[in-house]
């Protein structure tokens, strides 16, 4: 397709209220807008600044979910309660989203895996749909998926909440005329963009062609403000546990103790943590509620991270080795994957003493093998294309033969070549 004569379209994004899900999509939004497409973005009003900065029109909705930075309000150890939260959100916001797009229906829908209304709305509007993964996708085939579901059903057979959840979800789909099973609707997209290299995906070689590994879709984030790098050549260490990890004053005190008086210039992003809890900081440590993470990573020599997928991919893109201190959800999987690929170390939160953190950072920042592997996977990720490749695939679905998506994705990966970063395994868990 001649890029100077692309037909333009109205594209709608549907996402959940979490910075770790919204931020990774903004580069793709900006690239679509640059190409002349009109983008509407359904998210709560708090995400307006970054959505508008990327060039999209915010379509706000009132979320029923707990605040993303309040880990204690999320029943993460109760999968039934978590499933019910997601369904309750979808049922509550669906009428407003239908009204918001009444008379201005999009030509294509993109939706986060957790945004349960996206696929339903695309079905109602009879437009193509693409799922956006925010973490690892499932490599399970039909038999394995069926066996897992049977095991899940058996495990929760005596829980009346589970039966009620399934009944309400089936009603949600039936009302929209969707015959898919609940499990296929939530876990088996028609096509999906995955913002990582296949090498980082768990069992990546087994994931089929409905999933396109495009790499991180980064873009400008002027809404995050600026950061002034040190004027000398001191190595920069970024420390950030994400929006949900700010309630860890003890951890940050260990970090300060670990690097006081060292050559490291330490940048702490501590979220809502009261700065007074850390006391006076040494001259080589600066504390912020949040930082423009991409700008800091451009200068960083190491990164202590919670292991959220967005942060991990941003660091990999910049070739920055990591020390992962995971807390919830996929962070533990990402920490293990970093170790397996020799891209960093894993320090459990309950063992994150000053000495262990200092040793882990020293290792990842000085080991030649880690340096070689981080450089290799950074090069691979940049070749994948990120937002440009994602936009190309979106336009292919808009204007190409939709039934040939998997063939197109296979040709794309073949043209880019398969990286070898996944074959270098030399990591160590600090336990």
């Amino acid at each position: 397709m001649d890029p100077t004569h692309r037909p333009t379209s109205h594209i709608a994004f549907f996402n959940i209220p979490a910075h770790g899900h919204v931020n990774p999509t903004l580069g793709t939004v900006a690239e679509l807008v640059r190409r002349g497409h009109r983008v509407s973005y359904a998210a709560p009003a708090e995400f307006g600044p970054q959505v508008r900065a990327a060039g999209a029109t915010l379509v706000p909705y009132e979320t029923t979910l707990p605040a993303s930075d309040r880990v204690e309000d999320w029943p993460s150890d109760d999968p039934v309660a978590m499933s019910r939260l997601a369904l309750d959100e979808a049922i509550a916001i669906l009428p407003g989203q239908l009204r918001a797009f009444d008379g201005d229906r999009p030509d294509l829908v993109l939706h986060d895996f957790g945004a349960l209304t996206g696929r339903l709305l695309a079905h109602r509007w009879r437009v193509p749909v693409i799922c956006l993964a925010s973490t690892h996708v499932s490599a399970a085939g039909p038999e394995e998926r069926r066996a897992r579901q049977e095991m899940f059903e058996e495990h929760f057979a005596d829980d009346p909440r589970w039966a009620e959840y399934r009944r309400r979800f089936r009603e949600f789909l039936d009302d929209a005329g969707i015959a898919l099973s609940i499990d296929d609707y939530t876990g088996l997209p028609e096509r999906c963009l995955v913002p990582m290299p296949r090498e980082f995906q768990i069992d990546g070689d087994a994931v089929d062609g409905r999933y396109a590994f495009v790499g991180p879709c980064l873009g400008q984030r002027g809404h995050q403000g600026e950061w002034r790098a040190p004027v000398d050549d001191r190595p920069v260490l970024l420390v950030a546990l994400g929006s949900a990890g700010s309630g860890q004053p003890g951890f940050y005190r260990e970090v300060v103790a670990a690097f006081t008086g060292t050559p490291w210039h330490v940048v702490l992003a501590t979220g809502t943590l009261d700065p007074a809890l850390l006391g006076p900081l040494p001259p080589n440590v600066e504390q912020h509620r949040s930082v423009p993470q991409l700008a800091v990573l451009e200068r960083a020599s190491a990164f202590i991270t919670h292991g959220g997928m967005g942060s991990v991919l941003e660091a990999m893109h910049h070739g920055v080795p990591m020390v992962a201190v995971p807390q919830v959800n996929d962070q533990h999987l990402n920490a293990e994957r970093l170790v397996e690929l020799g891209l960093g170390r894993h320090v459990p939160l309950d063992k994150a003493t000053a000495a262990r953190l200092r040793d882990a950072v020293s290792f990842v920042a000085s080991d030649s093998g880690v340096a070689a592997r981080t450089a290799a996977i950074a090069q691979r990720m940049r070749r994948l294309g990120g937002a440009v490749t994602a936009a190309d695939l979106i336009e292919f679905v808009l204007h190409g033969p939709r039934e040939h998506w998997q063939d197109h994705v296979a040709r794309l990966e073949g043209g880019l070549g398969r990286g070898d970063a996944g074959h270098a395994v030399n990591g160590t868990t600090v336990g």
Side-chain angles (χ1 to χ4, degrees):
M1 183 185 304
D2 182 350
T4 63
H5 294 88
R6 290 188 183 99
T8 59
S9 303
H10 178 200
I11 298 169
F13 276 70
F14 293 85
N15 215 326
I16 65 173
H19 292 282
H21 290 247
V22 173
N23 284 340
T25 70
L26 299 178
T28 302
V29 171
E31 177 63 19
L32 290 169
V33 171
R34 187 190 68 79
R35 298 182 184 200
H37 298 289
R38 181 165 61 92
V39 178
S40 300
Y41 202 114
E46 67 174 292
F47 296 93
Q50 56 261 57
V51 165
R52 296 187 185 98
T57 299
L58 181 72
V59 181
Y61 65 83
E62 293 290 334
T63 182
T64 65
L65 297 174
S68 61
D69 60 353
R70 291 185 57 82
V71 176
E72 64 273 19
D73 292 341
W74 287 87
S76 55
D77 58 348
D78 185 344
V80 176
M82 287 289 285
S83 298
R84 292 176 66 181
L85 276 179
L87 179 59
D88 289 345
E89 168 87 337
I91 292 171
I93 67 177
L94 178 60
Q97 291 182 341
L98 283 167
R99 290 192 299 270
F101 287 92
D102 186 31
D104 188 26
R105 294 184 177 182
D107 301 300
L108 179 142
V109 164
L110 294 119
H111 70 94
D112 184 270
F113 249 114
L116 297 180
T117 58
R119 193 172 185 179
L120 183 150
L121 289 167
H123 175 83
R124 291 186 68 149
W125 295 330
R126 298 183 180 180
V127 299
V129 60
I130 302 176
C131 181
L132 302 170
S134 57
T135 187
H136 303 274
V137 298
S138 174
E143 291 186 6
E144 184 180 353
R145 293 182 69 249
R146 185 163 49 251
R148 286 180 182 177
Q149 186 56 36
E150 289 175 355
M151 182 174 65
F152 204 77
E153 292 280 1
E154 182 178 351
H155 182 76
F156 291 106
D158 296 328
D159 189 334
R161 301 174 306 156
W162 177 248
E164 176 64 8
Y165 160 74
R166 301 284 289 185
R167 183 195 66 75
R168 292 175 65 233
F169 208 135
R170 185 68 262 164
E171 186 177 272
F172 177 69
L173 297 180
D174 288 344
D175 286 348
I178 295 176
L180 289 172
S181 71
I182 295 170
D183 310 298
D184 283 352
Y185 180 84
T186 58
L188 194 65
E190 295 178 48
R191 54 188 79 85
C192 183
L193 300 176
V194 188
M196 71 174 82
R198 188 180 284 269
E199 292 88 342
F200 195 73
Q201 161 70 39
I202 296 173
D203 297 327
D205 288 337
V207 176
D208 68 36
R210 77 185 65 225
Y211 300 96
F213 292 86
V214 300
C217 301
L218 308 182
Q220 298 299 318
R221 297 182 187 172
H223 66 280
Q224 292 183 336
E226 297 181 353
W227 172 73
R228 190 181 296 254
V231 295
D232 55 28
D233 60 355
R234 284 178 295 164
V236 171
L237 170 64
L238 174 61
V239 183
L241 296 188
S243 59
S246 59
Q248 303 289 348
F251 166 80
Y252 289 108
R253 291 191 197 104
E254 293 293 331
V255 170
V256 173
F259 297 101
T260 295
T262 69
W264 287 97
H265 180 86
V266 182
V267 181
L268 297 180
T270 57
T272 58
L273 186 72
D274 182 356
L277 292 176
L278 300 186
L281 297 177
N284 67 318
V285 177
E286 57 178 281
Q287 180 183 11
H288 306 271
R289 180 185 177 98
S290 64
V291 296
Q293 188 158 288
L294 296 180
V296 182
L297 286 172
E298 286 181 0
R299 180 68 166 73
S301 297
F303 182 19
I304 298 179
T305 172
H306 60 312
M309 183 59 77
S311 292
V312 166
L313 293 175
E314 289 170 9
M316 288 167 59
H317 177 85
H318 287 90
V320 179
M322 285 165 273
V323 174
V325 186
Q327 298 172 68
V328 295
N329 301 330
D330 64 346
Q331 297 168 13
H332 296 282
L333 292 175
N334 293 336
E336 292 171 6
R337 196 72 181 128
L338 289 172
V339 171
E340 290 168 359
L341 298 180
L343 302 172
R345 280 194 163 183
H346 169 202
V347 178
L349 182 60
D350 62 354
K351 297 181 180 180
T353 63
R356 289 177 184 271
L357 291 170
R358 185 170 52 248
D359 289 347
V361 168
S362 176
F363 173 80
V364 301
S366 62
D367 183 80
S368 60
V370 172
R373 288 185 289 272
T374 54
I377 204 161
Q379 182 181 33
R380 166 67 174 164
M381 291 171 78
R382 290 170 188 269
R383 288 185 63 213
L384 287 172
V388 172
T389 300
D392 287 345
L393 286 166
I394 291 165
E395 290 185 332
F396 173 80
V397 173
L398 277 165
H399 309 301
R402 297 174 199 165
E403 66 275 13
H404 296 154
W405 163 269
Q406 296 200 27
D407 292 338
H408 187 70
V409 169
R411 286 194 299 272
L412 175 70
E413 285 204 27
L416 290 171
R418 295 294 293 276
D420 59 0
H423 301 293
V425 179
N426 187 28
T428 306
T429 297
V430 179

